[in-house]
Structures are given as structure tokens and as C-alpha cells.
Amino acid sequence: MSESVRLTEEQRLDWLRLIRSDNVGPRTFRDLLSYYGGARAALAALPGLARRGGASSLSRICSLEDAETELKAARARGVEFLGLGEPDYPPRLQMIDDAPPLLAVRGKLAILAQPLVAIVGSRNASAAGVKFAERLARELGDAGFGIVSGLARGIDAAAHRVSLSSGAIAVLPGGHDRIYPAGHVDLLESILAEGAAISEMPLAWEPRAHDFPRRNRLISGLSLGVVIVEAARRSGSLITARLAGEQGREVFAVPGSPLDPRAEGTNGLLKQGATLVTEAADVIAALEPIMGRGIELPSAQEPASEAPGLPDANPAEDERSRVIALLGPTPTAIDDLVRMSRTSPAIVRTVLLELEIAGRLERHGGALVSLL
């Protein structure tokens, strides 16, 4: 986006209503704004989309009263909602295709504009792993990087603690009123003195298992690169590494003993081509060329004056049927749906949008979709 524009208070409430409505995720939010020109028109279109998508019952649409209550409660806690495309929205995060339309931020907004590096790893970390994470975070902080992590025990907490003065960013799996783990409330308060905490969830949202991968995509999305210090073969840190690769971020791994299960994941990443890290200089050398490049940002900003419009395609019933017939529980590429249904991309996108608002579609990475 060439020029950032701030949302009006009315638009911010409309955006909050839309993203808090059932079956509207970040990608769907963007599609709706693109089709209808603004959040208010999209809200008005939701019942019709759900009906055409075959919804068995009317999906919940967030009311203006509920949005006003959440916004007021958030501001009372010192939480601001940053809209995608606004000046303070983290620039790297804005690049990913499922960036949160509204990001709830508490703390120092300026830290979000710094070059950021994520450091994550095992909750059950070894003493050596904790010591290395501390040294790495300290040296990267001294070099001007803000440090991003997930407020978890072990490696995350170690990275946060030594970067309090240089700028730490904690990415929360739940809302700002439901800190996880609860024992890190004091650590979070220390982070907020010079850093920030971010969440895309409602203020009182209690994190559930599937919220952690959602959180992890924000950790990698904020950052130039992700350093994995320790990770078992199946761990959340490896999910973060995978998401970082999908987002075009640099993936770094710290080698460990083949006898330590906590090193199986990191050693595996090195075999797959991750950059080996034994000191902060390894990270800095890989990221300096990236920092010199400009960032081309997508636009999700609605116009200052929004006018109700129509989707750029209105599927006929036979076209809708052909697209739906090609879907099933196995993820399918959207490009394949276009080719095999013998319809236009616009028709396929519209049918998928209808199904998603009806709660019948699941989106996967890599432009894959499946029928629920």
C-alpha cells in the first residue's frame, strides 16, 4: 500500500463486528471487503451468503452493542485495535495472506516498527538451551532487533526476560484478559514497560489447543526470521518453523546433541536446509540483505466512503453445483476447482465464500480448501 489511512471510529466498529461474526476469518474478511467495498455492506450481505451456501441455521453476526462493549473494555485495559493498513500496523505481518484485520496491541506501538526476530523453543528446555537463548536474545537486542516470542515456559520466557530493555513482543494465544500461562502475568507486565503484547482474539478469550498454531503464524509473520533453539520431533516450535517457511521468512536452527530428544526437531530442520546458528552473527548476516529491501504491502483498507456493492460474480445454480460437487474432505487446490468446474475464478471464489460463511468450508495453507 502506497499510503496508510486510518479507520474512522465507525469503520473500526464495523471491522470488529465483521471479524467477530461466525465463520469470518482473516482471508474471508479480505474477500468480503473486496467484494462489497466495506465492512458495513459486507455485514448486510452475510445472511444472504450463508443462505446460498446452504447454512442449516442463521450464523451469528456480531452486534454493534457487543462491538462497542469490547472496544470500550479493551481501551480501559490500555489495548488498542490496529487495523490492517493503518500506519502502526506491523509492516511484516501485513504481508501474510491471513494477517488479522484487527490486531489488539497493548504496550509500546513503536516496537512493532523495529526489525524483529522470533526466538522460540522447548517449554521443557535444557539449561544449555536456556543459556543460549538468553545470549542470542541479548546480542540481537544489542544489534537493534526486537525479540518476538510466545510467552511460554522455557525458551520463550528466557528470550523475553533478557530483551525487556531492548524491546520484547509477546504474542498471546488467548485474549489480553486470559494470559497463558497464568504464571507469566508478571513477566508480561515487565515486557509492557518497553515492549508490547499482541493478540487477535477477543479480550476474554480462553486459549484452546487450535489457538496455538494460529498464534504461531503471528510470531513468524511479525518477524524477519525465526530461530528455533530446542524442539522435539513433534512440537509447536516446528509448526512455527513450517509457517515461517510458508510465509517466506528465514528459518534458523540451533544444533543439539543427537542424544537429546529436544534436539531432534532442530537437527531435523538443519537437514531440511535451515540456517545453522551458533552465534547472533549468523542471524544478523542472513537478515541484513533482507532488511535493505523494501516491503510491498497488500491493501485491505476500505475506502473512506463505502457503498454497498455486489460480488464480482453471481453464480448460476448449475455453476454452484459443479463447484460443490468437486469438493470433499480432502484439501483441493482452488486452481483445480476453476479448471475442473469449467467456470471463471470469480465464480469459484464466490461459491467458496458462500460455503465459508455457511460454515461448510475449511481453508488450508497453499490455497487449498475442503468441504466440512
Side-chain angles (χ1 to χ4, degrees):
M1 180 184 306
S2 59
E3 183 180 356
S4 296
V5 181
R6 292 195 183 277
L7 296 172
T8 66
E9 191 71 0
E10 292 77 14
Q11 286 173 330
R12 202 174 307 277
L13 283 167
D14 289 340
W15 278 38
L16 187 56
R17 288 185 64 198
L18 186 58
I19 195 59
R20 295 290 187 251
S21 296
D22 285 353
N23 304 321
V24 177
R27 292 187 183 93
T28 310
F29 184 99
R30 284 194 182 192
D31 287 345
L32 288 166
L33 251 61
S34 173
Y35 286 169
Y36 293 100
R40 186 164 300 178
L43 285 162
L46 289 180
L49 287 168
R51 186 172 57 253
R52 292 193 295 275
S56 57
S57 60
L58 191 63
S59 299
R60 184 192 65 87
I61 298 175
C62 179
S63 69
L64 178 59
E65 181 182 7
D66 286 348
E68 288 175 335
T69 299
E70 181 177 352
L71 191 60
K72 182 178 179 181
R75 286 175 173 168
R77 295 276 282 115
V79 175
E80 287 295 327
F81 284 105
L82 304 182
L84 187 67
E86 290 194 292
D88 294 326
Y89 196 98
R92 294 277 168 188
L93 185 59
Q94 190 168 319
M95 296 169 65
I96 70 173
D97 65 359
D98 56 352
L102 286 173
L103 196 64
V105 183
R106 186 174 167 222
K108 308 291 187 184
L109 296 182
I111 185 66
L112 302 177
Q114 282 186 220
L116 305 175
V117 175
I119 299 177
V120 296
S122 174
R123 288 175 171 82
N124 181 31
S126 68
V130 168
K131 184 175 181 179
F132 185 81
E134 290 174 341
R135 190 179 82 185
L136 189 65
R138 184 179 299 109
E139 292 177 356
L140 288 171
D142 291 343
F145 292 92
I147 303 300
V148 181
S149 201
L151 201 67
R153 300 179 183 90
I155 298 300
D156 290 28
H160 283 315
R161 287 192 180 100
V162 300
S163 54
L164 294 178
S165 59
S166 58
I169 297 176
V171 186
L172 310 178
H176 283 276
D177 278 349
R178 293 292 185 271
I179 304 307
Y180 181 90
H184 282 176
V185 170
D186 289 344
L187 173 58
L188 181 62
E189 291 300 321
S190 299
I191 287 170
L192 294 173
E194 296 296 334
I198 72 168
S199 171
E200 65 178 322
M201 310 306 289
L203 204 63
W205 187 267
E206 194 76 48
R208 298 169 293 182
H210 67 265
D211 294 322
F212 290 87
R214 287 184 60 171
R215 183 272 311 270
N216 293 352
R217 90 186 193 286
L218 303 185
I219 292 175
S220 54
L222 284 161
S223 310
L224 289 154
V226 176
V227 184
I228 315 297
V229 177
E230 286 183 338
R233 184 179 297 275
R234 294 179 181 177
S235 67
S237 298
L238 295 188
I239 294 175
T240 309
R242 175 179 60 78
L243 293 168
E246 292 174 358
Q247 294 167 349
R249 306 302 192 254
E250 295 297 309
V251 178
F252 302 90
V254 178
S257 168
L259 302 178
D260 189 343
R262 290 167 294 201
E264 286 186 11
T266 46
N267 289 342
L269 288 173
L270 292 170
K271 291 178 182 178
Q272 296 164 25
T275 301
L276 186 146
V277 174
T278 59
E279 57 182 347
D282 298 327
V283 178
I284 296 169
L287 295 183
E288 278 181 336
I290 301 171
M291 292 168 61
R293 301 175 199 155
I295 302 176
E296 186 172 336
L297 300 176
S299 174
Q301 180 73 51
E302 61 183 312
S305 60
E306 49 181 279
L310 293 173
D312 52 9
N314 187 20
E317 204 49 52
D318 65 318
E319 293 174 319
R320 185 179 286 109
S321 298
R322 287 206 304 273
V323 174
I324 295 174
L326 292 168
L327 289 165
T330 302
T332 302
I334 294 175
D335 286 348
D336 288 342
L337 293 176
V338 173
R339 177 176 55 82
M340 297 172 71
S341 66
R342 303 184 307 282
T343 58
S344 69
I347 290 289
V348 171
R349 286 197 306 269
T350 302
V351 173
L352 296 180
L353 183 61
E354 293 170 350
L355 291 170
E356 189 162 20
I357 298 302
R360 299 178 59 199
L361 189 83
E362 182 176 3
R363 291 186 184 269
H364 309 267
L368 299 174
V369 293
S370 63
L371 201 62
L372 293 172

